[in-house]
Amino acid sequence: MVNLRAPAPEDLALVREAWDLAWQVILAGAHALVILDEINLALTFNLLPREEVFQVLRERPPWVEVVLTGRQAPPELVEMADLVTEMRPVKHYYEAGVQARRGIEW
């Protein structure tokens, strides 16, 4: 059983701040590619309002490609997506005792 604690208010504020910037960038249409790293888990753990995220994805300019990463993508998001990829490690240096590194795994 996973013991999940409630996110700290400052963490929620940072998630909100990041999303506020992301949706503005997406809807402005000045970038052809926007990558929202690990947003799927933010949606799964209800750190962002799902419908708000889905609405921005529906309203994005057609030339803006949005890549959403992270495990446990909500089923509604999978249904909406044009491409869904699930990655699994075949070999990982962590199994040989190499610890997670700042800037690589986190």
Side-chain angles (χ1 to χ4, degrees):
M1 184 173 170
V2 177
N3 183 9
L4 297 176
R5 64 173 177 79
E10 50 272 5
D11 291 335
L12 289 172
L14 288 170
V15 170
R16 184 73 232 182
E17 181 181 343
W19 171 242
D20 287 346
L21 175 60
W23 71 257
Q24 291 174 43
V25 168
I26 292 167
L27 295 179
H31 301 279
L33 175 65
V34 178
I35 300 172
L36 303 178
D37 194 32
E38 296 296 341
I39 193 171
N40 290 340
L41 281 175
L43 293 170
T44 296
F45 291 116
N46 299 312
L47 303 179
L48 292 170
R50 287 183 183 198
E51 189 48 45
E52 184 177 319
V53 173
F54 300 158
Q55 188 67 31
V56 168
L57 295 173
R58 285 191 291 271
E59 293 178 2
R60 77 186 194 287
W63 62 88
V64 177
E65 191 77 25
V66 181
V67 176
L68 305 140
T69 74
R71 297 167 289 157
Q72 302 178 19
E76 307 94 327
L77 188 58
V78 171
E79 182 65 30
M80 182 187 294
D82 294 322
L83 172 66
V84 177
T85 302
E86 186 173 299
M87 296 177 60
R88 64 175 185 80
V90 174
K91 180 180 180 182
H92 197 288
Y93 45 79
Y94 185 78
E95 294 167 352
V98 177
Q99 295 299 306
R101 299 166 296 169
R102 184 182 190 130
I104 304 296
E105 286 83 22
W106 59 275

